[in-house]
C-alpha cells in the first residue's frame, strides 16, 4: 500500500490503519505492507524556491515499496496535491493545485515505476475520500475533484484499475459520512479506515 497519511494511518493506532484492516480481512495467505508517508504529494516538482510540497517519490518508503516486488499494489495519493496553502499562510511551496498540470505525468511515473519493479503486478489507483469542511482551509474538496479526474486519466493511460474509495464514502448519507472522520474532517477515524 503506497500513499500519504491516509495510507499510513494518521490519527489511529497502526493496527487500525486501512492496510492493517486489509491484512485482517485477507488473512495469513497475504502479507500487506504499509508504505504510506504522512504529508506526501504525488507532485515531484520544483520552482525557483526549491522542491514543492513533500514528494512521495523522494521518500525512503517509496523505494522500499518498489523493492517489495509485490503481487498487488494500491496507490492512494492526491489528497495533499489538492491544496493551495495560500489562504492562511501564503506559502507558495504548498500551492500544489497551481501545478495541477504536472500531476498526471508524476502519477504516471509512480505507476510506471511499480510496473518496472514488479512486472505482472496488479495495480490499483485509489480515488481519495472526500474532504469534509477540513479545519485546514488549504484542503478543498473542489480541488480534490480536479485531482480525482487526473488520477482517472493517469490510471487509464497506464491501464491500471481504479478503486473508488471516494464513491464508497459518497454513497452514504452525509451524516453517516461525517461519523467516519476524525475532528480534522480530512482523515478517517477507526471506523472510516474500515
Amino acid at each position: 500500500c503506497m500513499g500519504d497519511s491516509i495510507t499510513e494511518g494518521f490519527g489511529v493506532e497502526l493496527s487500525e490503519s486501512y492496510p492493517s484492516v486489509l491484512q485482517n480481512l485477507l488473512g495469513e495467505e497475504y502479507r500487506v505492507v504499509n508504505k504510506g508517508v504522512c504529508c506526501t504529494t504525488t507532485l515531484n516538482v520544483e520552482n525557483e524556491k526549491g522542491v514543492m510540497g513533500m514528494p512521495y517519490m523522494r521518500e525512503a518508503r517509496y523505494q522500499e515499496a518498489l523493492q517489495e516486488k509485490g503481487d498487488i499494489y494500491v496507490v492512494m495519493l492526491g489528497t495533499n496535491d489538492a491544496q493551495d496553502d495560500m489562504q492562511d499562510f501564503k506559502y507558495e511551496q504548498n500551492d500544489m493545485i497551481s501545478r495541477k498540470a504536472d500531476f498526471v505525468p508524476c502519477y504516471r511515473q509512480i505507476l510506471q515505476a511499480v510496473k518496472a519493479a514488479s512486472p505482472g503486478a496488479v495495480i490499483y489507483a485509489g480515488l481519495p475520500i472526500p474532504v469534509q469542511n477540513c479545519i485546514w482551509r488549504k484542503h478543498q474538496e473542489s480541488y480534490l475533484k480536479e485531482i480525482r479526474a487526473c488520477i482517472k486519466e493517469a490510471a487509464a493511460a497506464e491501464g491500471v484499475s481504479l478503486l473508488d474509495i471516494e464513491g464508497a464514502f459518497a454513497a452514504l448519507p452525509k451524516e453517516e459520512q461525517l461519523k467516519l472522520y476524525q475532528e480534522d474532517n480530512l482523515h478517517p477515524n477507526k471506523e472510516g479506515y474500515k
Side-chain angles (χ1 to χ4, degrees):
C1 300
M2 302 171 74
D4 52 32
S5 58
I6 294 173
T7 297
E8 189 172 14
F10 176 86
V12 297
E13 297 295 323
L14 182 60
S15 63
E16 298 169 341
S17 68
Y18 98 75
S20 293
V21 172
L22 188 58
Q23 178 68 72
N24 291 336
L25 291 170
L26 293 172
E28 294 178 10
E29 292 183 26
Y30 290 83
R31 184 175 68 93
V32 179
V33 180
N34 185 341
K35 293 299 178 182
V37 181
C38 282
C39 302
T40 53
T41 59
T42 304
L43 288 178
N44 185 16
V45 296
E46 297 183 27
N47 62 16
E48 62 281 349
K49 295 182 180 178
V51 176
M52 293 186 68
M54 190 173 152
Y56 183 69
M57 285 187 265
R58 297 183 186 215
E59 294 294 318
R61 284 187 169 183
Y62 169 72
Q63 292 301 326
E64 292 167 8
L66 298 176
Q67 291 167 3
E68 283 288 335
K69 308 243 182 256
D71 297 313
I72 303 168
Y73 281 82
V74 176
V75 178
M76 191 163 62
L77 288 159
T79 299
N80 293 318
D81 297 279
Q83 63 174 300
D84 63 23
D85 214 5
M86 299 303 283
Q87 295 180 28
D88 296 318
F89 301 107
K90 308 284 190 253
Y91 186 55
E92 185 179 328
Q93 292 308 97
N94 278 346
D95 184 12
M96 307 308 289
I97 200 67
S98 70
R99 298 295 297 263
K100 184 181 78 169
D102 295 309
F103 184 91
V104 170
C106 289
Y107 202 94
R108 288 186 69 184
Q109 185 179 353
I110 292 169
L111 297 177
Q112 291 166 1
V114 171
K115 288 179 179 180
S118 299
V122 176
I123 305 169
Y124 295 98
L127 297 174
I129 66 171
V131 174
Q132 305 281 353
N133 299 316
C134 181
I135 61 171
W136 301 296
R137 292 187 299 167
K138 64 184 181 178
H139 289 283
Q140 298 288 326
E141 176 61 22
S142 61
Y143 295 155
L144 194 51
K145 285 181 181 178
E146 295 177 47
I147 294 300
R148 284 191 204 99
C150 292
I151 292 170
K152 290 175 183 177
E153 180 182 338
E158 295 299 326
V160 169
S161 298
L162 292 172
L163 283 178
D164 191 3
I165 301 161
E166 183 258 346
F169 276 70
L172 299 171
K174 192 69 159 185
E175 62 275 5
E176 294 301 314
Q177 286 182 49
L178 293 173
K179 292 177 184 176
L180 300 176
Y181 286 81
Q182 296 177 43
E183 289 180 6
D184 64 10
N185 285 324
L186 181 70
H187 295 94
N189 59 25
K190 178 181 174 180
E191 292 305 312
Y193 281 115
K194 288 180 185 176

